[in-house]
Amino acid sequence: MKKVNRVKRNEDFQTIFKNGFSSANRQFVVYVNPQQQQDHFRLGLSVSKKLGDAHLRNYIKRCIRHVMMDFDKDQLISQHIDIVIIARKPAATMTFHEMKASLEHVLKLAKVYKHRSK
């Protein structure tokens, strides 16, 4: 994932938490903040140390990034958004395909993702 598509600074995270809205399911919490100043979406990830050791946390983050890159640009409602995904405890025991289904579900709840009909 390119640097321009990442939320890295604490100030950016705090702005998204303060000004955005959230949706959640059992495995993930998603904060969404619409931005008009940018022409691309940005993604921030938060995986707590409570979920496991470093290699498990990195695996969860890699899976989330991979799922978000798999979504086509036309599947996201708007390209002008900041998204922060927080992984909850049940995410530590999920497979990649379960994470993908769960992320699709929570992004649909947040009205950020539309399923492309084939």
Side-chain angles (χ1 to χ4, degrees):
M1 188 167 273
K2 297 179 183 177
K3 274 192 176 184
V4 295
N5 291 6
R6 295 186 209 155
V7 177
K8 295 295 276 183
R9 294 184 0 202
N10 185 39
E11 296 84 24
D12 294 339
F13 275 95
Q14 296 307 317
T15 302
I16 295 168
F17 293 146
K18 182 179 175 186
N19 299 330
F21 61 92
S22 66
S23 294
N25 63 9
R26 205 166 270 197
Q27 295 84 14
F28 298 102
V29 179
V30 173
Y31 284 87
V32 178
N33 188 25
Q35 293 291 332
Q36 296 305 322
Q37 297 91 346
Q38 60 198 20
D39 60 346
H40 55 275
F41 83 96
R42 295 190 311 163
L43 177 66
L45 301 175
S46 176
V47 181
S48 172
K49 287 184 179 181
K50 294 178 183 178
L51 266 65
D53 52 3
H55 79 277
L56 179 62
R57 293 193 310 271
N58 289 333
Y59 171 75
I60 293 169
K61 289 188 277 188
R62 276 195 315 269
C63 287
I64 294 171
R65 279 190 213 105
H66 189 74
V67 167
M68 293 303 290
M69 286 189 296
D70 278 350
F71 293 154
D72 292 333
K73 292 184 191 284
D74 60 339
Q75 288 178 305
L76 293 175
I77 299 297
S78 172
Q79 291 297 311
H80 307 284
I81 54 176
D82 290 338
I83 301 171
V84 173
I85 299 175
I86 301 172
R88 289 181 168 174
K89 189 75 171 170
T93 60
M94 297 174 74
T95 65
F96 173 77
H97 297 291
E98 292 170 337
M99 279 190 202
K100 184 172 183 175
S102 181
L103 281 170
E104 283 181 12
H105 174 255
V106 75
L107 290 173
K108 285 179 189 176
L109 288 176
K111 295 180 175 51
V112 174
Y113 175 81
K114 59 183 174 185
H115 184 68
R116 181 179 55 189
S117 58
K118 294 182 181 179

